[in-house]
Amino acid sequence: MITAIKPATVPLRFSLPIGGVAGTSFKPEHLPAILEAGPQAGFFEVHAENYMGAGGPPHRALETIRRDHPLSLHGVSMSIGGPQPLDKTHLARFRSLVARYQPALVSEHLAWSTHETSFFNDLLPLPYTEATLACVCDHIDQVQEAIRRPLLLENPSTYLTFRESAMSETDFIRGIVARTGCGLLLDINNVFVSATNHGFPALDYLADFPLAHVGEIHLAGHAEQTDDDGNLLLIDSHDGPVADAVWKLFEIIIARRGPVPTLIEWDSSIPAWPILRAEAAAAQAILDRCKLAAATEDRHAA
Amino acid sequence: MRRDADLGFAAAFAPPLLDPAREVPTAVAGRNGKPAGRRYDVYRNNVTVSLIETLAAIYPAVQRITGPDFFRAMARFHVRSSPPASPLLFDYGRDFPDFVANYAHAHDMPWLADVARIERAWLDAYHAADALPLAPALLSTIALERLGGLVLTPHPATRIVRSPYAAVTIFAANRDSAPVARIDASTPEDALITRAEFDVVVRHLPPGGAVFAASLMSGQPLGAAAMAAFDASPEFDIAANIAGLIEAGAFTSLAAGDA
């Protein structure tokens, strides 16, 4: 049973969908610099859990940002990929944030983070089987039912595989989309990280990914380690600039898919605001080039 | 119908995350079916390090006092024995001050747990519900004979931490980056933590003030709270304490009690 909460809602000031706009993670330490620069064209994404307190400075900052910019609400701990039932209290909190802030985008992960009563604060992997597919779809149905809108589900970055997996990740994700009608958040850095870690071509994965359902793209930096055999092992660290190879994949995907909202994700070793904004501007330039190319094609066709 | 046998992956994957003595699960693999080894350790590291960093973010003064190596070793023990029970990380570490109090290597810093208690209260005040504090002028409108029966409603952010040590001074000196002068830790101090609007403020409470404020917060009428405070400390100054609490925004409303 979900407790009925009627929070004050902030009126929508942006027509949906927001289209080919670049955005950044919102970090409270950037708020003064953002406000000083005045309203910008981009959107801001926040981790939902950071705004699940009752009141105080976090909500004030988010209200301030939301007044002039589209918002993306990104959940990181719903544990949709876990076998146990969703935490109803957490789902109610998530729903109440969606109702209060009316975000342009709402997303969560194909991963799990809670087992029994322990919360592990990481996006943990799952096997891809008929049983886990049914379970994940059941959880997404519950989330979409609660928030009354489609959820964008993010593809994971992984460091290992489950021996029991019986289908590919892209087959699994296509199955989810077909059964739940959810949208997808395509994290291109995650694709690059997983492709490197498991030794498959990122472009093969992307060719197999249901691009038509992608409602948002994530770009982020990664770190390098090695596994026991000395193979390169990439870590999805979100602590630096987007890698050249990931930018290249992004250009290919945008040319194929058309412009979609694109986020520069930067969650640790956070740089000064102008550096983060410059990364978003680089993404925006690629999105704009694609829009221009499409417009030119239209003129030629006319 | 879901077959639970097919969904046992989390039960196999989760326990070794915080227990380095446990074997890497055999249900997972690296390339070409090899054991997952270091690849599984990435998850172990993500979980442990991110939770240690969560505690470091909640308890920055404790970390400054102990230094990062001491803090991380202490926090690692706590993370492994008491992982979070909620995805709201700002709620994590409620039992960390008690853990610090019993941590053998911290026995020569007996005030450290109280500094942690103030930091925990600081974060609770930071995230507490917003509410308008009681207007100071309101109290002066109450007839003198009714004052003793007044009952005050605490602001959702208000917290009190009592310490037999100078925990408030030590806390304040170490939430800053300025050099810390020598502090006599042996003076008992009580902290009042409030957030009238958006800034959390930590104040020293004068003698008897903690008993007075705690009595009021528990719903005792003003007269009874003052009596309790006098019993605790003959130096208790009722006018200064009422004015101080109201000015700090510790309460939101008042009502004539049954007395």
Side-chain angles (χ1 to χ4, degrees):
Chain A
M1 165 82 193
I2 297 158
T3 328
I5 300 168
K6 284 190 182 164
T9 58
V10 180
L12 271 178
R13 299 198 184 175
F14 304 93
S15 54
L16 295 174
I18 57 173
V21 171
T24 58
S25 304
F26 170 61
K27 301 296 163 190
E29 57 263 48
H30 290 155
L31 185 59
I34 293 168
L35 294 180
E36 196 169 314
Q40 57 152 41
F43 69 96
F44 287 99
E45 183 162 292
V46 295
H47 288 179
E49 289 72 10
N50 292 341
Y51 298 88
M52 289 183 175
H59 285 289
R60 183 173 63 160
L62 193 55
E63 280 167 2
T64 306
I65 278 297
R66 174 67 185 84
R67 222 164 6 240
D68 294 317
H69 305 94
L71 185 71
S72 169
L73 191 69
H74 189 49
V76 295
S77 56
M78 191 68 77
S79 218
I80 281 173
Q84 68 191 39
L86 294 184
D87 175 348
K88 294 293 188 291
T89 313
H90 189 71
L91 185 56
R93 288 190 292 245
F94 192 71
R95 180 175 91 148
S96 118
L97 271 182
V98 172
R100 176 170 176 177
Y101 288 101
Q102 299 283 312
L105 303 161
V106 181
S107 52
E108 250 288 354
H109 293 85
L110 177 57
W112 57 283
S113 47
T114 295
H115 179 62
E116 291 176 346
T117 58
S118 294
F119 171 64
F120 292 104
N121 196 33
D122 193 22
L123 297 165
L124 301 168
L126 59 144
Y128 301 133
T129 64
E130 281 301 331
T132 57
L133 180 59
C135 182
V136 166
C137 290
D138 188 25
H139 289 166
I140 292 173
D141 286 345
Q142 287 176 48
V143 175
Q144 296 189 139
E145 178 73 17
I147 64 173
R148 296 271 157 200
R149 56 189 283 176
L151 182 73
L152 302 175
L153 189 72
E154 178 175 341
N155 58 296
S157 58
T158 56
Y159 309 108
L160 46 73
T161 54
F162 281 82
R163 296 183 197 279
E164 64 176 302
S165 280
M167 63 183 101
S168 70
E169 189 169 288
T170 44
D171 283 347
F172 193 82
I173 287 172
R174 262 191 276 109
I176 293 171
V177 170
R179 291 193 205 179
T180 68
C182 75
L184 296 170
L185 193 177
L186 172 59
D187 188 315
I188 296 180
N189 184 59
N190 285 355
V191 173
F192 186 74
V193 164
S194 292
T196 307
N197 292 347
H198 304 303
F200 61 77
L203 281 171
D204 286 2
Y205 181 101
L206 290 166
D208 213 19
F209 199 84
L211 286 186
H213 298 274
V214 171
E216 185 186 347
I217 286 176
H218 271 184
L219 302 173
H222 54 251
E224 295 185 355
Q225 288 183 14
T226 51
D227 74 0
D228 302 79
D229 297 323
N231 294 311
L232 181 60
L233 191 64
L234 297 183
I235 311 295
D236 181 32
S237 52
H238 297 184
D239 62 351
V242 177
D244 290 346
V246 173
W247 280 121
K248 191 69 214 157
L249 291 172
F250 175 58
E251 285 197 65
I252 293 168
I253 289 306
I254 291 301
R256 213 177 280 171
R257 166 70 180 87
V260 281
T262 299
L263 180 87
I264 304 294
E265 235 183 346
W266 204 320
D267 294 318
S268 70
S269 307
I270 296 161
W273 168 239
I275 294 173
L276 187 52
R277 194 179 47 184
E279 285 279 281
Q284 189 65 61
I286 292 169
L287 293 165
D288 290 346
R289 265 210 303 281
C290 173
K291 281 184 229 170
L292 196 66
T296 313
E297 264 170 44
D298 283 352
R299 268 203 307 279
H300 288 173
Chain B
M1 197 55 214
R2 193 183 292 176
R3 287 174 299 162
D4 286 343
D6 295 336
L7 290 166
F9 68 92
F13 195 91
L17 286 170
L18 285 169
D19 186 351
R22 285 185 190 246
E23 299 280 329
V24 169
T26 53
V28 290
R31 279 198 199 184
N32 306 317
K34 289 193 170 180
R38 266 197 229 175
R39 290 165 176 262
Y40 181 80
D41 290 343
V42 173
Y43 295 102
R44 276 179 160 152
N45 187 63
N46 284 351
V47 171
T48 311
V49 170
S50 75
L51 293 175
I52 289 172
E53 279 166 6
T54 299
L55 289 175
I58 299 172
Y59 299 102
V62 173
Q63 176 167 241
R64 190 174 180 222
I65 291 163
T66 63
D69 293 346
F70 182 107
F71 185 88
R72 294 182 85 85
M74 177 165 74
R76 185 174 289 109
F77 280 117
H78 186 66
V79 161
R80 285 179 176 159
S81 62
S82 311
S86 156
L88 303 190
L89 286 176
F90 54 78
D91 263 342
Y92 183 44
R94 284 192 188 285
D95 43 359
F96 187 63
D98 287 345
F99 176 84
V100 171
N102 294 312
Y103 188 62
H105 301 287
H107 273 170
D108 56 343
M109 295 177 275
W111 32 265
L112 195 61
D114 287 338
V115 173
R117 288 185 181 102
I118 296 173
E119 297 206 277
R120 182 60 255 178
W122 189 100
L123 193 63
D124 286 337
Y126 183 84
H127 285 287
D130 301 327
L132 276 180
L134 185 64
L138 206 59
L139 205 60
S140 58
T141 66
I142 309 291
L144 206 57
E145 67 273 16
R146 303 196 60 190
L147 274 179
L150 281 186
V151 174
L152 289 93
T153 308
H155 189 288
T158 306
R159 302 284 186 280
I160 291 163
V161 175
R162 306 201 62 188
S163 177
Y165 304 100
V168 188
T169 303
I170 299 169
F171 159 84
N174 287 284
R175 288 282 279 214
D176 203 345
S177 56
V180 179
R182 196 166 173 79
I183 296 167
D184 174 9
S186 66
T187 317
E189 288 180 348
D190 300 326
L192 172 71
I193 298 102
T194 55
R195 201 197 84 228
E197 201 186 357
F198 289 109
D199 294 323
V200 179
V201 179
V202 179
R203 291 172 167 84
H204 287 111
L205 280 166
V211 170
F212 182 58
S215 303
L216 289 174
M217 287 173 72
S218 70
Q220 291 285 311
L222 198 59
M227 289 303 288
F230 277 122
D231 285 345
S233 168
E235 301 162 65
F236 176 70
D237 177 341
I238 183 165
N241 271 276
I242 293 174
L245 288 171
I246 304 255
E247 191 207 313
F251 297 97
T252 54
S253 63
L254 48 76
D258 303 329

